[in-house]
Amino acid sequence: MEEKVKSELKKIFGFSQFRGNQEPIVDNLLKDRNTFVIMPTGAGKSLCYQLPAVVSEGTAIVISPLIALMKNQVDQLNAIGVNAHFLNSTLTKSESNRVKSEVLAGKTKLLYVAPESLTKEDNIEFLKSAKISFVAIDEAHCISEWGHDFRPEYRKIKSIVAQIAPELPIIALTATATPKVQQDIQRNLHMESADLFKSSFNRTNLFYEVRAKVKNETKKQLIKFIKSHKGKSGIIYCLSRKKVEEIADLLRVNQINAAPYHAGLEPSVRMKNQDDFLNEEVDVIVATIAFGMGIDKPDVRYVIHYDVPKSLEGYYQETGRAGRDGLEGHCLMFYRYEDIIKLDKFNKDKAVTERENAKILLQEMAAYAETGVCRRKFILNYFGETLEEDCGYCDNCKRERETFEGMEPLQTVLEA
Ligand code: ADP
Ligand code: MG
């Protein structure tokens, strides 16, 4: 890699070194090769296209699904002196015209585009006339129905890119590592021969545990667990808004400093509760899965699933919010098969294939919860990775050792 690229890493982004696979990825893209990046959340995917964009001639198109995050990224880039803009439905006609003229003047290094805007005829015409360096497809799992956030518009990207310029290099990035999603992405983008950079998804500092969910008993266990982590930050995920409220109340009655978070709360209340959690005014946030996107609190010490999640993929993403600082993170799930059945019933009005897909994801989730093998092995295997040895750091690994070493009767082991 040219020295210039490395010096821009420090000069513009302020990083003294590349992390993980960033260097070979940047290098690969700068050689105009199609590049497929699979890296866990927080690993630093944005830099893999932002740095090449800055050092390349022309404008890089970045396709990103979330309007809020798009604005955030553009603001951050502008703040470090990189000329970046976005095109999405929040802009007025005259604002988007201004963005377009900046791009045509050759000043813009990165243009973030919402998939809905990319498919608009006049935007396609405009992009044809601009000098484009490459196309980055962030959150590329949105292409796949097996991903956790399917966006039909994402499936049109490839044909539009082909209209803009057939030979444009593409970099696709995602934190979703299941082989099914990976295949879908590669097929849909005609990227079967792209160079693949896949990082390990093993989070060695996370302890995985599943306990049987038993009426009355589980609430007591929950309170006991939280009290044994007094003053530490934790997240509790529940399936419904009602459950979130109920558990938050339960914790508060038991002198635990907890706050609820779900989409049904007034935006101002929701925001305050989130801020209180981030600023440590509140120890525990009880939330639906609406909580967590883009949240980067490094010292979350535990994530509890009071209800079983809809997929192992979702479980991995949610538990991944624990121990971001590399220190202890305890991931505890309460499980009973009835919850799987309940989730399946929620899908009854969906189209047949969609429901079938959801059912398979749920079955995989149940298999994880009920497995006797090393949990980390199970999770990594789901992501197409092999762990040679048992991890020794999950309930199943610990339990096995206890039985062997202590010769405890099986009953006490099962109760643990
Ligand atoms: P992802 O998209 O993979 O979830 P981001 O691109 O949002 O991750 O990056 C996560 C964090 O890592 C950001 O705070 C970013 O500034 C930081 N980061 C990225 N690359 C580096 C690096 N080479 N050195 C230090 N910090 C980095
Ligand atoms: Mg990202």
Side-chain angles (χ1 to χ4, degrees):
M1 180 184 293
E2 286 176 49
E3 280 311 309
K4 176 170 175 270
V5 181
K6 276 188 195 159
S7 71
E8 297 290 296
L9 175 73
K10 177 89 183 107
K11 213 167 75 195
I12 298 179
F13 295 93
F15 302 142
S16 43
Q17 273 165 297
F18 285 105
R19 249 202 216 161
N21 279 335
Q22 283 176 336
E23 182 165 7
I25 292 167
V26 168
D27 202 36
N28 204 60
L29 183 59
L30 286 175
K31 286 181 184 142
D32 287 345
R33 299 181 57 89
N34 285 342
T35 308
F36 188 14
V37 177
I38 304 179
M39 254 188 214
T41 306
K45 287 185 286 299
S46 323
L47 185 95
C48 299
Y49 56 83
Q50 289 174 343
L51 178 59
V54 172
V55 299
S56 296
E57 236 183 281
T59 307
I61 299 174
V62 182
I63 299 159
S64 163
L66 288 168
I67 289 180
L69 295 186
M70 199 179 284
K71 181 169 181 329
N72 228 323
Q73 288 219 10
V74 168
D75 287 346
Q76 280 175 12
L77 286 166
N78 291 160
I80 57 172
V82 174
N83 189 322
H85 295 283
F86 61 81
L87 271 187
N88 62 36
S89 55
T90 66
L91 296 186
T92 63
K93 190 83 192 156
S94 72
E95 283 169 331
S96 62
N97 284 338
R98 205 174 318 133
V99 169
K100 289 178 185 176
S101 63
E102 287 255 333
V103 173
L104 293 175
K107 291 183 193 149
T108 309
K109 291 282 112 191
L110 295 106
L111 179 67
Y112 284 74
V113 186
E116 298 74 34
S117 305
L118 185 73
T119 49
K120 290 220 172 75
E121 203 50 54
D122 52 338
N123 287 337
I124 298 176
E125 285 311 310
F126 148 68
L127 291 170
K128 276 186 191 169
S129 61
K131 179 167 175 44
I132 306 298
S133 48
F134 62 84
V135 178
I137 304 173
D138 206 355
E139 315 290 349
H141 56 268
C142 294
I143 282 176
S144 173
E145 285 174 281
W146 289 107
H148 48 86
D149 190 13
F150 173 52
R151 309 272 175 131
E153 302 285 335
Y154 256 67
R155 290 195 165 261
K156 300 182 186 153
I157 294 173
K158 175 65 194 176
S159 69
I160 291 167
V161 171
Q163 287 179 56
I164 296 169
E167 296 304 322
L168 277 178
I170 296 179
I171 178 170
L173 311 98
T174 180
T176 299
T178 65
K180 270 188 259 192
V181 174
Q182 186 180 322
Q183 259 182 18
D184 264 3
I185 296 173
Q186 285 183 292
R187 248 187 241 141
N188 187 268
L189 293 175
H190 304 286
M191 279 177 69
E192 285 93 344
S193 59
D195 300 296
L196 173 67
F197 296 87
K198 185 169 176 179
S199 323
S200 172
F201 276 62
N202 190 0
R203 294 283 310 274
T204 50
N205 61 319
L206 299 189
F207 182 87
Y208 298 102
E209 179 184 4
V210 180
R211 293 189 200 171
K213 193 164 165 184
V214 184
K215 226 181 169 78
N216 302 322
E217 198 47 42
T218 292
K219 290 195 171 118
K220 281 185 216 150
Q221 285 187 22
L222 179 69
I223 290 164
K224 193 170 156 208
F225 182 97
I226 296 172
K227 289 202 164 167
S228 72
H229 289 75
K230 202 170 162 45
K232 304 279 170 63
S233 295
I235 305 173
I236 302 175
Y237 282 109
C238 303
L239 192 60
S240 65
R241 297 172 184 183
K242 198 171 141 230
K243 195 49 110 188
V244 165
E245 293 290 348
E246 182 196 325
I247 299 294
D249 286 342
L250 172 80
L251 299 185
R252 281 188 297 223
V253 189
N254 283 279
Q255 289 82 46
I256 291 166
N257 187 1
Y261 184 101
H262 58 72
L265 290 170
E266 284 287 320
S268 61
V269 176
R270 200 168 66 207
M271 218 116 83
K272 181 179 185 306
N273 290 354
Q274 175 174 315
D275 286 343
D276 284 353
F277 178 67
L278 294 177
N279 303 327
E280 291 170 13
E281 306 278 335
V282 148
D283 295 333
V284 184
I285 194 105
V286 188
T288 59
I289 52 169
F291 181 78
M293 260 284 204
I295 300 277
D296 192 8
K297 184 168 171 43
D299 59 349
V300 173
R301 295 277 73 95
Y302 58 88
V303 170
I304 300 175
H305 282 83
Y306 191 82
D307 297 308
V308 67
K310 295 187 186 100
S311 70
L312 199 49
E313 168 72 34
Y315 179 69
Y316 178 83
Q317 297 293 346
E318 285 142 33
T319 52
R321 294 177 185 130
R324 283 271 179 93
D325 53 9
L327 302 174
E328 189 211 330
H330 195 129
C331 310
L332 172 62
M333 177 165 84
F334 290 105
Y335 169 78
R336 62 172 174 206
Y337 191 69
E338 289 95 302
D339 285 354
I340 296 279
I341 296 170
K342 199 158 58 175
L343 283 171
D344 183 48
K345 280 194 183 136
F346 285 162
N347 296 327
K348 69 177 189 307
D349 298 326
K350 291 191 173 155
V352 179
T353 9
E354 212 180 323
R355 181 168 183 185
E356 285 306 310
N357 286 359
K359 207 198 239 343
I360 291 171
L361 295 175
L362 278 174
Q363 277 162 354
E364 287 163 342
M365 192 64 235
Y368 169 79
E370 293 175 18
T371 189
V373 310
C374 168
R375 303 234 184 246
R376 197 176 311 273
K377 256 190 181 165
F378 197 106
I379 292 173
L380 291 177
N381 179 53
Y382 184 75
F383 291 132
E385 250 179 80
T386 353
L387 190 67
E388 296 297 337
E389 309 239 336
D390 285 356
C391 75
Y393 199 56
C394 69
D395 55 352
N396 284 343
C397 284
K398 290 266 186 227
R399 200 172 290 165
E400 215 164 69
R401 210 169 307 146
E402 274 165 26
T403 353
F404 286 125
E405 288 173 7
M407 299 298 271
E408 289 168 40
L410 195 59
Q411 238 169 341
T412 45
V413 174
L414 285 176
E415 277 164 20

